[in-house]
Amino acid sequence: MSVLSRLPFGKPRPERNAALVSQGIEIDPVDESTLVINMGPQHPSTHGVLRLVLELDGEVIVRVTPHIGYVHTGIEKEGEFQQYVKAVTITDRMDYVSAHINNLAFSLSVERLLGVEPPPRGRYLRVLLSEIQRMASHLVWLGTHALDIGAMTVFFYAFREREKLLDLTEMLSGVRLMPSWIIPGGLRGDVPDGFFERCKAILDEFPRRVDEYETLLDQNPIWRERTQGIGVISAEECFGLGVSGPTLRASGVAYDVRKASPYSGFEEFSFGVPTGEFGDVNDRYRVRMAELRQSREIAKQAIERMPDGPTNVDDLKVVPPARAELDRSMEAVIHHFKLWTHGITPPAGEAYVPVESPKGELGFYVVSDGSNYPWRMHLRAPSFMNLQALSRMCEGRLVADVVAIIGSIDIVLGEIDR
Amino acid sequence: MTIPNISFGPFDLVAVAPYVALGLMLATVLLAVPVLTWFERVTLGLIHDRLGPNRVGPRGLLQPIADGIKLFFKEDILPSNVDRRIFYLAPAISMMPPLVAAALIPLGDFRVDMGGGQTRPLTLVAADINVGILWVLGLASLQVYGLILGGWSSNNKYSLLGALRSSAQAISYELALSLGVLMAVLMSHSMSLVQIVQSQTGGIMHWNILGLFPFGLVAAGVYAIAAVAETNRAPFDLPEAESELVAGYQTEYSSMKFAIFFMSEYAAVVIGSCVAVVLWLGGWDPIHPVLGFIPGPLWFAGKVLLLIFAFVWVRSTLPRFRYDQLMRFGWMRLLPVALVALMLAAAMSAYRTDPSAGSRIPPKPEKPKPLMGGTQSL
Amino acid sequence: MATDAGADAGLTAADDARKVQAALPHAVLDILENGNDAWLVVDRSSIQETLQYLRDEPSLAYRFFYECLGVDYLDPGTGSPILGKAHRFEVVYNLLSIHDPRSQMGSGRRLFVKVPVPADDPVVPTVTGIFPGAAFPEREIYDMFGIRFDGHPDLRRLLMPDDWIGHPQRKDYPLGGERVQFPNGTYGPSVGEKVVQHPGEGFFGRTADEIE
């Protein structure tokens, strides 16, 4: 298809190129037989502002080069200028479709530095919130992935269900997407009255909805043809590239952080780790669909076994006292004042606690110098590492497959660029 | 159905009828675009479990008008380095074929009371060409030129890929489309659209879709799939695949040039559905002769609307094909099925036909002599 | 950190670190422990050798490369590293000995490998040859801290624009500091003390070259 590249796209400017070469600027030699297409940063299916430079031979991909950084907002740098509890707020903005889980990961790292752990009710509420968030995040993935492949209706159905799940977060915190509800030491508060009942109603209805999506997609021969055998990646390649989460599990490795190194009391819940067989787009789809059901099971278990008691650690150096205490105790007032002006001060050290986010293993590497600001707050972003597998998966496939593969690895650019 | 003859000055109804039909069809095709966008959005809303347009006018009925005004007043952007003449010409080329094809669509059959107990047959059609269906097929293949030229002249790689896809798709699916049409010709023993409809008179059991069972059904299915592909609608909307090629061949088009591309797609949907109704669903023929009191054009419109609904339904349900799968499906599945069905149907038809009984076509009705103008067959 | 049950379930990451120390005594500078977490401090010239050993030694099988990240320990106030460190930068590699039930390899333990990097010569050998997944994180560290990775196949800026000056996550780089001029001639508040020119941003339609 070398004809394509000889089309008059723009005028050749040899004099400009000569000027650049004389200044010592290298110009990439143009391969005459391929067509270079710039996909993004404004493209309907790059899930944000991912930019891919595709080198095509006809419609077959020769090379994919991802370019990122378009929504880089310096969150890691910003975090070094926020007190620990206030830094929770900016972790919401990283993976903006699973904010609770980001909060949880950061809080766990800070708690590891502090050497505290919330009481059972706090841990169970964290599990409940993170599983609700995982369902919501997987629904966004399902909708957009299906829309990329052309199945429009699933998008609206998935977002309808997600809206109900986000309503729960809104009921809890007042906002849908950026709750910042999980903080170092516990949660900002207990759940409101009627929260569990509403949760239960949504969770009871949920499996029927998942069946509905599967009916629309699984039984569709076009969907099967578009996903089976596409974007295959082996487990060994995943290890070397740092690919984790459903993408890794679809390649046949039953590695789930919730099982391998349980946090927040996940060891008390019974759930399975769904794995795929071939590591293609269809397997990743199946793994995530199974996880939707698993998450619902875990959330149900959390509600049924929800313990009573406090949600936050009993340490006034970490969690402020209750409002009623302030009227009675001078000590409580002092602690309250110190916490809201100075914040918490973990001892010097480094901590990294991984959690299982909907995209993969997520964790904050927090370095403390003993002051009330984190010295370094680094996010191990699953999307960031998973994106590296994209070029490997796309080689030799068609343009339409790139779209399917991007959807299947479920990237969020807010997390990649941070 | 017998209607009285009305005279318009020197002309009577029989003379005016072709112009009425032409006007009706042109109006239908052109007005179909706003109505269909509304219809499509409402139907999609129903299927997607959401509201759809409901802000502008009652039930959002004025939404297409608002959209039209918006498009009309949008800036007409001419990107640099486009091939200007072809860039302007392309939307017109893609709009023309459905408009021309509209002249061939027969809408209804009446008998005109000429007075004195005499009646004359009158077909509501602008031009009854004896090779009408070939003409329609030719126009259908012309339409793709608009897409190819538009994509080529845009000086955009996405547009070019969309144009290449549309040309490959049109060539592949035209064969299947033609084979499907041939089956109808085989059953009706005519290429004139009017005679094809007349051969199916007498209720649903006489329609081509159930003729030479099951081959009529197979050919109608092949025709339906190929027609969706020819009109570049989902799941065959590869030339403008939003999630892959941004907007394909029309990426660089804006304002009314874009609107004309948009209109041509909907016009093609209308014409495709009209031809399908003519070929397979008995045109204006009521589902049972008992229901003959409902005028033919209403039957026709109802059937066309049903097919358009099917277009929208398919769009909302199926994911998009991939380019190579589309080609494989067209050449390896659709074409062999159509060929085998055609051959078997031909054999069946030859076996069934009693040479002494003559053909299935009703005797050719006597042609009224119009007072003015001529719409005779060529 | 709970680990997968196995024959060596009693071992911790620190035991693995000591094993590396025994095998490569010239490479390992120190071993740090905190609870179940362990940090293996390695000389930068031996980082490739160490990671290769960690990956290929069957009893360790640290085959899963999580990421690597940079840390800047410079205190901009005093101009010397905090916590009594002798070096300014550190690169931390995060590895997991992922348990693979098919080959029965891997212990499920996590080990951090630290490489001290001095400020005057911030160069570390690349590990992309051992773990291809290091390509993006190393580019990010180069972008943010200015630590160069020797032998990296494509060491360009990753998140910041290509013509950006400076490395934003260094501690002596201010958080804000973009001068925004208001119509009355005053300048907007900048968070840091220092003002940094951003040649990539075409203020008043000027390009990077013109500003210089």
Side-chain angles (χ1 to χ4, degrees), chain A residues 4 7-11 35-40 43-45 56 59 148-153 156-157 160 220 222-223 225-226 230 397-398 400-401 403, chain B residues 44 46-50 81 152 155-158 160-161 164-165 234-235 238 242-246 315-325 328 333:
Chain A
L4 284 182
L7 294 167
F9 288 130
K11 293 184 182 110
L35 172 75
V36 176
I37 274 199
N38 195 13
M39 194 171 182
H43 188 278
S45 61
L56 303 180
E59 276 215 28
D148 285 347
I149 296 185
M152 222 174 156
T153 308
F156 289 98
Y157 287 2
R160 181 187 62 197
N220 193 321
I222 303 180
W223 174 266
E225 273 196 43
R226 281 298 301 275
I230 311 294
R397 312 291 336 177
L398 295 169
D401 291 334
V403 172
Chain B
L44 282 180
L46 263 174
I47 295 172
H48 290 165
D49 195 8
R50 62 189 167 89
N81 289 331
W152 172 273
N155 191 26
N156 177 317
K157 292 170 187 174
Y158 287 116
L160 184 76
L161 282 180
L164 286 178
R165 283 179 173 190
L238 293 154
E242 193 208 347
S243 59
E244 297 154 27
L245 299 184
V246 187
R315 178 186 166 188
S316 68
T317 313
L318 293 180
R320 189 179 298 115
F321 270 103
R322 201 174 62 204
Y323 179 63
D324 59 328
Q325 290 165 352
R328 211 179 310 131
R333 305 259 173 84

Side-chain angles (χ1 to χ4, degrees), chain A residues 44-230:
Chain A
S45 61
T46 51
H47 292 225
V49 284
L50 174 66
R51 175 176 160 222
L52 299 173
V53 176
L54 309 177
E55 212 175 311
L56 303 180
D57 180 4
E59 276 215 28
V60 179
I61 310 280
V62 180
R63 196 177 307 135
V64 180
T65 318
H67 290 250
I68 59 176
Y70 288 90
V71 285
H72 175 62
T73 43
I75 286 181
E76 289 183 4
K77 179 90 176 170
E78 185 75 33
E80 296 168 9
F81 292 80
Q82 306 287 340
Q83 290 169 10
Y84 282 96
V85 174
K86 293 178 184 171
V88 171
T89 317
I90 52 176
T91 64
D92 283 336
R93 273 82 183 159
M94 291 178 170
D95 181 358
Y96 42 75
V97 292
S98 65
H100 278 310
I101 294 175
N102 289 14
N103 299 161
L104 177 60
F106 180 69
S107 304
L108 285 172
S109 283
V110 178
E111 283 165 9
R112 173 72 60 87
L113 281 172
L114 286 161
V116 298
E117 197 180 32
R121 187 175 172 87
R123 293 207 301 271
Y124 270 64
L125 279 178
R126 285 176 169 195
V127 167
L128 175 63
L129 290 182
S130 66
E131 291 315 310
I132 287 173
Q133 190 76 79
R134 191 184 318 279
M135 282 150 72
S137 171
H138 276 353
L139 286 174
V140 175
W141 155 79
L142 176 68
T144 51
H145 183 38
L147 188 66
D148 285 347
I149 296 185
M152 222 174 156
T153 308
V154 180
F155 175 79
F156 289 98
Y157 287 2
F159 268 61
R160 181 187 62 197
E161 252 43 71
R162 173 184 182 249
E163 210 55 41
K164 289 180 187 160
L165 293 168
L166 291 183
D167 282 348
L168 287 174
T169 305
E170 187 181 355
M171 186 179 176
L172 180 71
S173 65
V175 282
R176 294 162 64 245
L177 284 174
M178 310 284 168
S180 303
W181 200 253
I182 298 172
I183 52 169
L187 298 106
R188 284 201 198 267
D190 210 332
V191 290
D193 292 341
F195 183 81
F196 294 133
E197 286 71 40
R198 198 161 159 191
C199 255
K200 252 188 220 155
I202 292 168
L203 294 176
D204 285 340
E205 196 199 351
F206 199 72
R208 224 156 42 77
R209 299 301 184 185
V210 180
D211 290 344
E212 194 177 295
Y213 313 137
E214 284 193 335
T215 315
L216 277 167
L217 296 175
D218 274 4
Q219 297 176 7
N220 193 321
I222 303 180
W223 174 266
R224 285 205 300 270
E225 273 196 43
R226 281 298 301 275
T227 55
Q228 281 173 353
I230 311 294

Side-chain angles (χ1 to χ4, degrees), chain C residues 120-154:
Chain C
D120 50 352
D121 179 29
V123 181
V124 180
T126 181
V127 298
T128 46
I130 304 156
F131 296 112
F136 268 24
E138 286 186 354
R139 277 178 70 184
E140 191 195 335
I141 296 171
Y142 163 69
D143 190 359
M144 292 297 164
F145 294 94
I147 299 173
R148 290 195 306 285
F149 287 88
D150 206 13
H152 192 286
D154 184 23

